[in-house]
């Protein structure tokens, strides 16, 4: 399918959906404590999206997915299916929320820590967040999609971490997953499609403490590291603007990592929420 370019009105609709996804993550944060199950987290998010936001949790029934959010704990890389798993002190958890409102999707995920976590786990979470922003910094018309992956891979490997190759970011809009595929790795600059004003897609690098290899669990969804070492992921939905990038799921209190502002120059559009 061709890449669809969005109008400014469509981008505002996506920003609103992204705002709702952020509200869900803000709401659920205080519940992410030792003793809660990932099923309980899923139910609270589901009820909030449906009853309070009057919106729809995009993952539910998507290609048969049984839950409303993804919860990926420790060595789970992505698409962790909520279940009876009880969170315990020291766990790290990615919660991935996609909300559909007024026909448009907004997709974002964050890492949460349960109580006190190891320094190694915290460092991985920080490196993954820096990788997300290294990717975002490459988004502007005239750059190539592969420049996003190149920046992410270079940053991850400079910190002795590995980029998962088997899953990628995606175009988003009226569809949850549209073209293009957004790889989080590249061997050189200038690979892939040219970025054009009006493109909207996610950047969601999965960064492993050990090797990049992953495997799929028998539930058909949950992806884990082969070496059982930790994995971390953050995700934003972005739009390519006339001269840079508009992070549609940006939070007013969000801090762009200093290592990124120091090393990359990029034009970030103002946000509304
Ligand atoms: N939100 C995930 C993403 O970032 C996709 C979840 S699809 C599901 O693309 F079916 F696994 F929920
Ligand atoms: Co997501
Ligand atoms: Co996504």
């Amino acid at each position: 399918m061709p890449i669809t370019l969005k109008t400014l009105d469509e981008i505002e609709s996506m920003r609103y959906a992204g705002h709702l996804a952020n509200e869900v993550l803000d709401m659920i944060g205080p519940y992410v404590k030792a003793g809660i199950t990932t099923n309980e987290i899923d139910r609270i998010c589901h009820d909030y999206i449906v009853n309070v936001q009057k919106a729809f949790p995009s993952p539910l029934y998507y290609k048969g997915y049984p839950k409303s959010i993804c919860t990926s704990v420790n060595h789970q890389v992505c698409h962790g299916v909520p279940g009876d798993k009880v969170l315990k002190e020291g766990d790290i958890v990615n919660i991935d929320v996609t909300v559909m409102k007024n026909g448009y999707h907004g997709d974002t995920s964050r890492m949460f820590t349960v109580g006190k976590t190891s320094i190694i786990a915290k460092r991985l979470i920080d490196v993954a967040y820096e990788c997300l922003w290294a990717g975002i910094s490459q988004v502007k018309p005239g750059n190539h999609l592969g420049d996003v992956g190149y920046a992410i891979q270079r940053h991850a490997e400079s910190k002795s971490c590995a980029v998962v190759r088997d899953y990628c970011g995606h175009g988003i809009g009226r569809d949850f997953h549209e073209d293009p595929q957004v790889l989080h790795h590249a061997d050189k600059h200038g690979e892939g499609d040219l970025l054009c004003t009006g493109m909207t897609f996610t950047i969601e690098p999965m960064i492993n403490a050990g090797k990049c290899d992953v495997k799929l669990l028998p539930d058909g969804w949950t992806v884990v590291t082969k070496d059982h070492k930790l994995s971390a992921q953050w995700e934003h939905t972005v739009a390519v603007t006339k001269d840079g990038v508009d992070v549609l799921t940006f939070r007013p209190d969000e801090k762009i990592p200093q290592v990124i502002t120091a090393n990359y120059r990029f034009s970030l559009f103002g946000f509304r929420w």
Side-chain angles (χ1 to χ4, degrees), residues 96-98 107-109 170 176 204 235:
D96 191 336
V97 174
T98 314
D107 187 3
T108 185
S109 81
H170 49 91
F176 185 4
E204 46 183 301
E235 173 175 26

Side-chain angles (χ1 to χ4, degrees), residues 182-250:
V182 181
L183 303 187
H184 301 120
H185 63 96
D187 291 331
K188 52 179 166 44
H189 272 293
E191 292 184 344
D193 288 324
L194 259 182
L195 296 178
C196 304
T197 307
M199 284 183 181
T200 53
F201 52 84
T202 71
I203 302 176
E204 46 183 301
M206 289 137 275
I207 306 298
N208 293 353
K211 297 222 167 67
C212 67
D213 309 83
V214 300
K215 66 177 188 215
L216 187 62
L217 293 189
D219 67 14
W221 288 102
T222 308
V223 178
V224 298
T225 57
K226 262 195 186 154
D227 58 15
H228 277 233
K229 294 200 174 158
L230 294 177
S231 187
Q233 178 182 32
W234 298 80
E235 173 175 26
H236 270 316
T237 297
V238 307
V240 185
T241 63
K242 283 209 301 289
D243 57 358
V245 60
D246 185 349
V247 180
L248 302 180
T249 46
F250 193 83

